[in-house]
Amino acid sequence: MAGQANKKADTDTSPAGTDITDAVDFEIIELLFFAYRDFTSDPDVILEKRGFGRAHHRVLHFVDREPGMTVADLLDTLRITKQSLARVLKQLIDSGYIHQVAGPEDRRQRKLYTTKEGKTLARALAEPQSRRIAEALAKTGPGARDTIKRFLAGMKTAEEN
């Protein structure tokens, strides 16, 4: 791994004189970087063909998983600004992957749904990721899924757990 090639990093000390490598788990950090790179690589190819990126993927994923979610709910889930969401959402709507409906009680509220094409694209993006997860779990052994779920949940910000 990258950290193993840098001998200086192995001997660096903090200003207090403690060994940095004792406090920083470079191996897990690098594994997370590489896992994320590979986990997103298959969907990236599919998205690129449509002129979309990872932001489009996230929006499509969560709208497909929770039909009828409001724009406000989506903003909260993704922790992004209205301005950041506006461009991505407009592209997905204009491309026919998502449609929005005014709320029944509050017409200003916008509920989001994937279209048939949106559901198809969301599935196409999720399938290679699901395959990659299944292959990794099969190599990890019994009980791995629950352990990994706990680990990943623990990595999220405390208010979400």
Side-chain angles (χ1 to χ4, degrees), residues 1-13 18-22 24 26 30:
M1 293 214 180
Q4 293 172 343
N6 185 353
K7 292 295 181 193
K8 182 174 180 344
D10 291 340
T11 60
D12 281 352
T13 56
T18 58
D19 188 350
I20 291 173
T21 56
D22 289 342
V24 178
F26 289 109
E30 290 168 3

Side-chain angles (χ1 to χ4, degrees), residues 70-124:
T70 65
V71 170
D73 292 337
L74 185 56
L75 288 168
D76 189 48
T77 297
L78 297 175
R79 292 187 180 177
I80 59 174
T81 64
K82 280 184 186 180
Q83 186 176 8
S84 298
L85 177 60
R87 178 188 59 83
V88 170
L89 187 56
K90 181 177 179 356
Q91 289 174 325
L92 287 167
I93 291 169
D94 291 350
S95 299
Y97 294 106
I98 290 179
H99 71 273
Q100 60 185 352
V101 177
E105 293 89 30
D106 183 350
R107 306 292 293 162
R108 295 171 297 175
Q109 185 182 57
R110 293 179 292 155
K111 294 187 172 278
L112 303 171
Y113 300 87
T114 49
T115 62
K116 181 179 177 187
E117 294 80 11
K119 287 181 183 311
T120 301
L121 178 55
R123 177 64 99 153

Side-chain angles (χ1 to χ4, degrees), residues 21-41:
T21 56
D22 289 342
V24 178
D25 194 335
F26 289 109
E27 183 178 20
I28 296 295
I29 290 169
E30 290 168 3
L31 285 169
L32 284 168
F33 277 129
F34 296 138
Y36 180 74
R37 176 199 64 197
D38 295 346
F39 181 72
T40 56
S41 65

